[in-house]
């Protein structure tokens, strides 16, 4: 379960302060499928980075599975990020000097999985995003959408209990997007929690709940009847 | 006018070769508004980089305004890229250590515009993409869609005769996308040529012609009645 209270994140820049989040109260149960929408600059990625334990709030509380994240030691946070959370970054965040396969293997390397098993699982994840024939390409030898799909494969390779996907289809054509949403659906049906940031309504419509962020606040939070 | 004949681009990777473009014949008249669509990995960005004189083909010919680009000296290519072409990159390509304002000023610095005028024109371009209040932020202090809009402002600041925009709205919500398409429309109405790569039909529908690329070839090329 994800529970935030009064979650605030400010960035101080010299003389001015940018308030990216101004007090977010949000509860997401285990196994939910939530879409987060809102205008460019409204605070969606900032919220995802806090939920994913990649950043700390300026004020407010964040409880993950009943534990206050602020109280957790760094090694415990690292364990949660590696074993329980899969993160698809809006800017992909791939290692420039590693092949597609190596990038997908990374979470398994951190998790201490044996080399042979991790290569097989990484290859399988690349097969699922239809990129097995690009496994030896480095990021600058891939198209924009292919880089995005490598980043998706990396997030899915650990079959995470919580998938956080920030604009996962921004660079993909409709057919490829549809295939990626099918992968998310399968992860969801296995009982995992999915949170997707998107600006595309067709993508949000796969979720059963749509949260709208505007100017750092929750503007709307409604159930979505999946068409 | 843009005219390509048998345009081919191959990437050799050790023992294998990836044929990104397999012979593209395309003619685009001055003042046209063309959308390029196609699956992820089909060759759209590779084609845009060739049209924008940022890359050279493996085979085939490319004539820009009646001149064979292959015959042009580097300083002449640099002049064309700076004065006549505006490029919105799929991965934004902003300078990490420069502010938003400075990034937008760059083409004007290369073009030898006086400091005061170039700052005013760059600020005006940022105002047009609704980012004047972020002009002092560096890229890592901006949201994904804000970085994209800085990259759009940089491409528009020279009021280019040819605008090449590669997935310009991938990270933008509908309202912001609509505003950006309004800016492109204005540039088009002033008689300039616009080529937009997109996977969103609503974006392609602003163009009067849609070219579909599939597996490195032109699969379809049709007039589009703007709704
Ligand atoms: N430097 C390179 N070395 C090897 N292969 C490359 C290189 N650049 C691109 N490719 C390959 O060429 C093909 C076309 O790439 P391109 O970037 O043009 O596709 P695209 O249509 O823009 O895709 P997307 O919609 O995902 O951005 C891809 O399959 C890609 O893997
Ligand atoms: N490191 C930072 N320093 C200063 N301001 C920042 C920083 N990171 C983000 N911001 C600002 O905080 C606000 C929220 O950013 P955020 O990335 O969360 O937006 P977003 O909703 O994900 O937008 P997009 O849809 O464009 O990706 C933006 O206005 C941005 O300029
Ligand atoms: Mg974002
Ligand atoms: Mg591309």
């Amino acid at each position: 379960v994800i529970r935030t209270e009064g979650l605030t994140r400010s960035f101080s820049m010299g003389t001015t302060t940018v308030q990216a989040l101004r007090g977010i109260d949000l509860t997401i149960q285990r196994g939910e499928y939530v879409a987060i929408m809102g205008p460019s600059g409204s605070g969606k990625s900032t919220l995802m980075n806090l939920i994913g334990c990649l950043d700390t709030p300026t004020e407010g509380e964040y409880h993950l599975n009943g534990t206050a994240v602020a109280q957790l030691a760094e090694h415990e946070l690292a364990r949660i990020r590696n074993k329980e959370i899969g993160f698809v970054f809006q800017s992909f965040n791939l290692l420039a000097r590693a092949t597609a396969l190596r990038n997908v293997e990374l979470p398994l390397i951190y998790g201490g999985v044996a080399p042979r098993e991790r290569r097989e699982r990484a290859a399988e994840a690349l097969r699922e995003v239809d990129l097995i024939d690009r496994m030896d390409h480095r990021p600058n030898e891939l198209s924009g959408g292919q880089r995005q799909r490598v980043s998706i494969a990396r997030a899915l390779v650990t079959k995470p209990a919580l998938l956080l996907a920030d604009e996962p289809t921004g660079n993909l054509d409709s057919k490829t997007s549809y295939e990626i949403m099918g992968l998310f659906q399968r992860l969801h049906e296995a009982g995992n929690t999915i949170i997707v940031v998107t600006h595309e309504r067709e993508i949000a419509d796969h979720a059963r709940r749509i949260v709208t962020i505007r100017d750092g606040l929750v503007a709307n939070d409604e159930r979505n009847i999946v068409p």
Side-chain angles (χ1 to χ4, degrees), chain A:
Chain A
V1 179
I2 288 167
R3 195 163 61 78
T4 76
E5 274 176 41
L7 210 62
T8 298
R9 180 63 168 103
S10 304
F11 295 103
S12 61
M13 295 188 56
T15 52
T16 60
T17 301
V18 174
Q19 281 215 305
L21 295 180
R22 298 163 189 269
I24 300 272
D25 299 319
L26 199 57
T27 298
I28 298 175
Q29 304 293 344
R30 192 184 299 278
E32 274 201 72
Y33 193 151
V34 181
I36 298 180
M37 302 189 82
S40 173
S42 55
K44 305 178 298 295
S45 296
T46 303
L47 176 60
M48 291 288 264
N49 292 340
L50 290 170
I51 292 174
C53 302
L54 291 163
D55 186 20
T56 48
T58 311
E59 284 175 51
E61 293 185 31
Y62 172 34
H63 292 258
L64 181 60
N65 298 332
T67 313
V69 170
Q71 315 284 331
L72 290 171
E74 184 45 41
H75 69 275
E76 180 55 18
L77 272 179
R79 193 196 67 76
I80 291 173
R81 278 194 301 252
N82 179 243
K83 295 274 190 216
E84 299 187 17
I85 300 175
F87 208 116
V88 183
F89 293 90
Q90 187 170 6
S91 52
F92 316 158
N93 281 17
L94 298 176
L95 290 190
R97 291 206 195 106
T99 63
L101 187 72
R102 190 68 168 176
N103 266 286
V104 176
E105 278 185 82
L106 269 185
L108 303 178
I109 295 174
Y110 287 139
V113 175
R116 182 140 167 232
E117 183 193 343
R118 92 185 171 222
R119 264 196 298 277
E120 280 171 15
R121 285 173 60 183
E124 184 51 32
L126 278 177
R127 211 167 277 123
E128 288 193 339
V129 297
D130 208 8
L131 274 182
I132 195 67
D133 59 341
R134 292 284 183 270
M135 61 188 254
D136 294 331
H137 287 228
R138 281 171 309 189
N140 68 341
E141 296 167 335
L142 292 170
S143 78
Q146 290 172 341
R147 286 194 289 270
Q148 188 155 41
R149 284 185 278 158
V150 172
S151 150
I152 290 166
R154 182 184 61 190
L156 292 177
V157 77
T158 54
K159 304 220 182 325
L162 171 61
L163 176 70
L164 301 175
D166 195 345
E167 297 282 359
T169 63
N171 283 276
L172 302 177
D173 58 288
S174 307
K175 181 168 169 291
T176 310
S177 291
Y178 189 76
E179 289 163 7
I180 296 301
M181 297 323 283
L183 292 178
F184 290 5
Q185 189 58 35
R186 246 175 39 199
L187 183 71
H188 180 238
E189 281 163 4
N192 300 297
T193 310
I194 312 256
I195 305 177
V196 180
V197 168
T198 184
H199 63 272
E200 298 179 75
R201 187 69 209 202
E202 315 82 70
I203 302 300
D205 267 342
H206 288 78
R208 282 155 189 69
R209 179 180 167 196
I210 298 179
V211 173
T212 303
I213 306 286
R214 198 175 289 279
D215 272 339
L217 288 168
V218 175
N220 201 358
D221 184 352
E222 56 186 10
R223 267 183 5 147
N224 179 47
I225 313 300
V226 180

